[in-house]
Each structure stands twice: as C-alpha cells, then as structure tokens.
Amino acid sequence: MDGSDSKTEVSQELTDGFHLIIDALKLNGISNVYHVPGIPVTDLGRMMQAEGMRVISFRHESNAGNAAATAGYLTRKPGVCLTVSAPGFLNGLVSLAHATTNCWPMILISGSSEREIVDLQKGDYEEMDQLAVAKPLCKAAYRILHADDIGVGIARAIRAAVSGRPGGVYLDIPASLLGQVMDAETGARGLIKVVDPSPAQLPAPHAVDRAIDVLKGARKPLLILGKGAAYAQCDAIVRQFVERTGAPYIAMSMAKGLLPDDHPQYAGAARSLVLKESDCVMLIGARLNWLLGHGQGRQWGERFTKKFIHVDIDPKEMDSNQPIDAPLVGDIESTLSLMLAKMDRWAPPPADWTEAVCAKRAANVERMAPKLANNNVPMDFHGALGRLKRIFADHPDAILVNEGANTLDFARSIIDMSRPRKRLDVGTWGVMGIGMGTAIAAAVETGHPVVAVEGDSAFGFSGMEVETICRYGLPVCVVVFNNSGIYRGTDADPTGRDPGTTVFVRESRYDLMMQAFGGEGVTARSPDDLERAVRDAVASGKPTLVNAIIDPEAGTESGRIGNLNPQSAVQRN
C-alpha cells in the first residue's frame, strides 16, 4: 500500500469569541473603543489594538463611558465602552443611562460571570446579574452566550442604539464566550453588516400641512433648536428652514453653532423676551422639559396664548408638558425638507416683532460688553469668559467642553459658537463629571483642539483623566475656574470644627496635576493672563491645564437653577 492512498490531514483555520467581536465591530465601521482594562476583558482590549482598532484606556469607567457617549453624538455611530464586570460595569452604567437620557447612541460591553454561577448565586468573582441591572436604565440590553451569536448580537446592539430615538445599549459578554473556538469560515458567515440602521421616518402629509398652517398664522413666531437638531447633521437644511421662516430663534446650549450665534435671527440675547412674548413656538430637536421650564411659568407669559409645534422622532414625547397643537413625528431632515417644499411663497413675520427682538438683543449685548471686557483681579466669571469668547471667535474649529454650575451657566450665554457640534456639555441631566471623558472623545474623534472649561467642583469628578490626556498626547486645554468651592468658596461650619460643606482647599494647585504627568500647567490670575495662556495652549496642541483663580465671592448658589433647591421653613436658634 503506497502513501497515495493515505488520508492527508488538512489544517483548519480557527477563530474565537475575542476575534469575532473585533471583526463584527470593524465590519460595521466601529474602530474606536473607550476602555478600562481588567478581568475578563484585558486581552480583548489588547487584541483590538493589535487588529488596528484605537483603544483609549481610562482611569475610571464613568469617564470612558462619557467618552463613548460623546463619540456617539459626534459620529452618529454607537460609541463603544468596554469594561470589566460588576463594579466596572456599574461605573459604566452611569454613563450609559446618561447617553440614553440624552438620546446618544452608545454600547456598553462588559465582561460578566457565567450564567450557571450567577443564577445559583454561587459567589463568583464580581458576580452580578448585570443584564437585569442594566435593563431599566438603557434602551435595550442583550446577552451573548455562544460565539456563533456574536454577529447577530452586535448587529442588534448597533441597530437598537441608532434607530428611532437613539440611546444606550448594554451588551453582556460572559467570560467563557471570549475563549470559545470555532471554524473561522463559519464564524465569518455569522457576522452581519447592518444596512440602513437609522432609516428615515417621514411625518404624515396632513401633519406637515397642519404645522405649516399653525406657523403661518403666527404673528410672533419663535423657533427653538435643540441638540437633536445638531445630532441630525442636516445643518444646511436646518439653516435653510430657519432663514425661510424669517422667525427669531434660540438654540439650546449644544445646538449653538447650527447657525452662527451672530446670525441676525438669533435671539439668544433676547431669550426672556421671545419666550414670554411669542405666540407660536416650534421645537426642533428640543424637548419641553426642565431646561425650558416645562413650557410654563412666568418666563413663558400666558401659556394659553401660545401654540406649539414639535418635531420629534418619538411620538411619546408629544404633550409631555404642554398640549402640542401641531405634532410632527419624524426625523428632522425629512420633516424640515417636507415643510420647505411647501413654503415657496412664505411671508416673513411682522416687522414689529422682529424689530423688537433685534432691539432687545442689541441693548442686552451693549449692556454686557463692559462686564466681558474687565480685567479684574481676582477674576469674575464675566471677565474670564469674555476672554475665552475672543479665543473661540478666532478658532471656530476648536471644541468647547463645558461643565460646572456658574461656569456652565455663564458660559452658555457668553461664549458664541459659529459652527455646529463645537459645544459639548452636561446635557439633559445636567450631570457633573462629563468633562474629561467628553474632552478626550472630542479630540480623538475629530482631531480638533479642545478647550474644556470646568468649574473646580466639576473637574474633581474626572480630573485624574488628565493623565490619560497626557498619555495619548491629545490637544486638550483644561481651564479650571477655581473659586475654591462649590458655587462659592465662602461657606463656614457654624461649629468651627470643619470647613464649610461647599468649601475646598483655597486656590488649589490644579496646574501641578498636569505638570506631574508631563503636560503644561499654568496659573492665571487676571483675564489677560488667562487669554494668553489658553491661546498658547491652543497654538501648541499640547496637553495643558490653566488654573484660573476666580473670586470666591463671584458665584451664585446653583448657578441659575437655585430655585430647584428646597428651602427650609424652620428656623433653629
């Protein structure tokens, strides 16, 4: 018997759960992952990097999650956060809930214990039924148990995250899944490239006609642009619609720059007037929630003299606080395009309305100008932010990240934006701690310079990530508005035992933190010094922290939302 009759052993190419996850993400154009290494996903992060993905490793999962949420907002593809099990998962879950509330697509992928251990509560390392915990706090949650289901699991997560009203999705990966081995060809056949994950949703024709009739009948129309309009990335259509109506408009903070803030129709500096006096309000990618006083109260004048038009992809959002006279359920690009097609012979609003708005805006701008030009030492918020306003005017591609109480509230109205998606902040929840994760994602996803303007309290939630900024050499300048406390650095403990509950170490040296990791650290005590330091940082592209010393007396309680604090009616002697 010769050797020709013997069977030849054929080698078979294999793959495993690690590589199928990587292949599925890459197939769908997801190349950046925000990550905290640890059991059981350490090797997954390493392999992602080896396969050409960019893996940005953080010091805390909440910050990695905030980065992923920001990536989703900027790219309209799900931002991916990869965490360890149980405690790491819980840290990332805060950011996932934040993304869902803000309608940003994000996928949180967390390693987990095996089902048979979790279900019998055997006490595994970091044992937790993570899927059950995640479900109430995100748009969808899935668990993949078998390697041949990885393709469909990731496809479902992507589609859930971006379709309809976007949001956060949890993807549970038991540790044993990662090492499951299978034939590579079979594994590849199971992968899915998601087609049209966010299909257009058109409003009904009669709804479009009704909205046009309501808007046409208004004598004092007002448009409100929300961050949903910025997320839609149909900037030219939004601008065409605003200009076709001729109506004054205001922009919620993350919608600033959809049209430049110096646009003749922009009424941000006349906000009180237009909210109170308008007779028809059209919400475009904005919600009538607490950020707009629920559409009621003194700032809105008499509610029943107003009509509301609301564009939103989710019909459940309609009538959430006030009756909506003309609901438009659809995506923003489709809805505004259909309206524009029926507005060929559009008459502008009455001149007495637009002229009154322009006059009020001009008066308020003139009144504010001296405050923004001051060079006081110690600095106040107006003088400091007035200098940053100049820098963003000269660098329209720079991205502003903003959080805090007074730091956030003053910056919203002082710093102008001229291009869309250049202002990133705390969003719907007003949550503290988004700063460094958001700044890192903005730099990674866009390559543009980032200036993160932080209250000293807000910075404390994520400040250790300045090491991450330095490690990756990102063009981020962090400006800490240091007034030595929360709101103000002037409270005192009546007993004399401890510092006041809102007081920090006076004039803390935050600049030394950045220096400790190899970045630039600068202290600024005057607006002129602040402007010089930030301009140098933007020009250099180097990681920089500017410690801006603000007068402890300058702030107000809770910024502009102090009314949300309950007040005690009891006086104690």
Side-chain angles (χ1 to χ4, degrees):
M1 180 175 179
D2 63 34
S4 62
D5 292 332
S6 64
K7 293 183 178 180
T8 304
E9 185 177 337
V10 179
S11 64
Q12 184 181 43
E13 186 178 354
L14 301 176
T15 189
D16 58 19
F18 288 104
H19 292 92
L20 287 171
I21 291 170
I22 293 166
D23 292 344
L25 292 173
K26 291 175 68 176
L27 179 65
N28 285 283
I30 296 173
S31 57
N32 294 337
V33 172
Y34 300 92
H35 174 42
V36 174
I39 297 171
V41 297
T42 307
D43 281 344
L44 180 55
R46 289 174 177 143
M47 292 178 189
M48 286 175 164
Q49 197 172 56
E51 292 288 336
M53 300 181 74
R54 191 166 191 197
V55 181
I56 308 297
S57 292
F58 282 72
R59 305 299 290 264
H60 194 280
E61 291 89 356
S62 286
N63 303 323
N66 286 324
T70 299
Y73 170 74
L74 290 173
T75 67
R76 300 189 73 198
K77 295 187 296 186
V80 173
C81 176
L82 177 63
T83 81
V84 303
S85 52
F89 152 77
L90 289 172
N91 288 338
L93 191 58
V94 174
S95 307
L96 190 70
H98 175 65
T100 303
T101 299
N102 281 288
C103 311
W104 300 337
M106 172 186 166
I107 300 174
L108 173 65
I109 301 176
S110 295
S112 67
S113 298
E114 313 312 326
R115 293 301 314 151
E116 60 271 20
I117 295 176
V118 171
D119 290 347
L120 284 176
Q121 299 178 20
K122 292 183 176 181
D124 197 18
Y125 171 71
E126 295 188 348
E127 175 190 303
M128 175 180 283
D129 190 351
Q130 295 170 196
L131 189 74
V133 173
K135 278 184 176 180
L137 298 174
C138 58
K139 186 179 177 185
Y142 306 106
R143 178 184 292 120
I144 306 174
L145 294 175
H146 305 289
D148 52 5
D149 288 332
I150 286 173
V152 69
I154 288 180
R156 294 200 70 187
I158 291 170
R159 192 175 290 279
V162 300
S163 62
R165 170 169 279 184
V169 175
Y170 174 60
L171 197 57
D172 192 85
I173 305 290
S176 62
L177 171 76
L178 297 171
Q180 288 180 17
V181 176
M182 65 186 302
D183 173 63
E185 184 177 343
T186 303
R189 285 199 301 268
L191 301 182
I192 297 173
K193 182 175 176 58
V194 181
V195 177
D196 194 15
S198 182
Q201 183 173 329
L202 279 66
H206 71 272
V208 175
D209 292 339
R210 178 174 54 212
I212 288 177
D213 288 344
V214 171
L215 189 60
K216 188 183 295 184
R219 288 192 53 79
K220 296 181 177 182
L222 171 66
L223 309 179
I224 300 180
L225 307 179
K227 63 178 179 294
Y231 172 81
Q233 295 195 18
C234 54
D235 309 333
I237 290 173
V238 172
R239 179 166 188 158
Q240 185 181 357
F241 179 80
V242 171
E243 292 179 341
R244 181 74 59 83
T245 68
Y249 76 93
I250 60 175
M252 304 303 287
S253 59
M254 287 181 60
K256 286 167 65 71
L258 270 168
L259 289 78
D261 284 353
D262 61 359
H263 192 280
Q265 288 171 246
Y266 186 52
R271 180 185 174 101
S272 297
L273 172 71
V274 294
L275 289 179
K276 186 174 183 180
E277 298 295 332
S278 57
D279 62 0
C280 175
V281 179
M282 182 171 181
L283 300 152
I284 304 172
R287 290 178 277 188
L288 206 57
N289 58 17
W290 74 275
L291 290 164
L292 284 169
H294 308 286
Q296 58 192 353
R298 287 181 300 174
Q299 65 173 320
W300 283 91
E302 178 55 50
R303 156 66 188 100
F304 295 103
T305 65
K306 297 185 195 298
K307 292 183 179 295
F308 284 96
I309 304 168
H310 194 173
V311 181
D312 200 287
I313 204 164
D314 185 357
K316 297 190 300 295
E317 187 61 37
M318 305 302 169
D319 308 314
S320 59
N321 276 299
Q322 297 294 343
I324 301 300
D325 302 273
L328 285 163
V329 179
D331 69 273
I332 290 171
E333 182 173 5
S334 299
T335 301
L336 297 187
S337 296
L338 290 172
M339 293 187 74
L340 280 165
K342 297 186 176 185
M343 295 172 67
D344 286 340
R345 298 181 179 178
W346 193 261
D352 57 351
W353 171 236
T354 55
E355 289 172 1
V357 174
C358 287
K360 184 67 172 177
R361 181 184 65 200
N364 285 343
V365 169
E366 183 179 5
R367 178 175 57 83
M368 184 64 65
K371 294 183 179 181
L372 301 183
N374 82 66
N375 195 36
N376 295 343
V377 178
M379 287 186 278
D380 58 33
F381 288 96
H382 290 96
L385 291 167
R387 295 304 196 277
L388 297 183
K389 174 186 172 84
R390 297 178 186 176
I391 294 171
F392 281 96
D394 293 339
H395 297 276
D397 274 333
I399 296 173
L400 169 63
V401 173
N402 188 205
E403 64 172 337
N406 292 278
T407 305
L408 172 71
D409 293 326
F410 284 112
R412 277 174 173 156
S413 58
I414 291 174
I415 299 178
D416 292 333
M417 296 283 107
S418 60
R419 296 182 184 173
R421 293 169 296 282
K422 299 298 183 184
R423 180 186 167 83
L424 307 172
D425 65 28
V426 298
T428 303
W429 263 355
V431 66
M432 288 279 207
I434 59 91
M436 297 302 96
T438 299
I440 289 167
V444 168
E445 299 293 339
T446 71
H448 293 161
V450 177
V451 180
V453 182
E454 303 270 312
D456 50 358
S457 175
F459 177 70
F461 286 83
S462 64
M464 191 62 189
E465 300 299 347
V466 298
E467 187 274 335
T468 307
I469 293 170
C470 291
R471 187 172 3 121
Y472 289 92
L474 299 175
V476 175
C477 173
V478 181
V479 181
V480 178
F481 274 28
N482 182 358
N483 66 348
S484 301
I486 301 173
Y487 314 133
R488 299 159 64 99
T490 56
D491 276 356
D493 177 359
T495 71
R497 178 177 54 198
D498 292 323
T501 57
T502 61
V503 173
F504 297 150
V505 172
R506 187 169 179 81
E507 297 189 6
S508 296
R509 295 296 305 277
Y510 298 111
D511 51 305
L512 297 181
M513 290 178 62
M514 189 67 91
Q515 290 183 23
F517 299 116
E520 301 290 330
V522 183
T523 293
R525 294 188 174 276
S526 72
D528 284 351
D529 290 344
L530 174 62
E531 180 175 0
R532 189 178 309 110
V534 176
R535 285 190 183 278
D536 288 347
V538 172
S540 73
K542 295 179 180 179
T544 304
L545 190 149
V546 180
N547 189 22
I549 306 300
I550 304 292
D551 185 351
E553 300 278 356
T556 60
E557 178 77 11
S558 300
R560 296 182 184 176
I561 56 173
N563 60 297
L564 299 181
N565 278 330
Q567 300 295 312
S568 174
V570 176
Q571 298 294 324
R572 293 182 185 269
N573 294 327

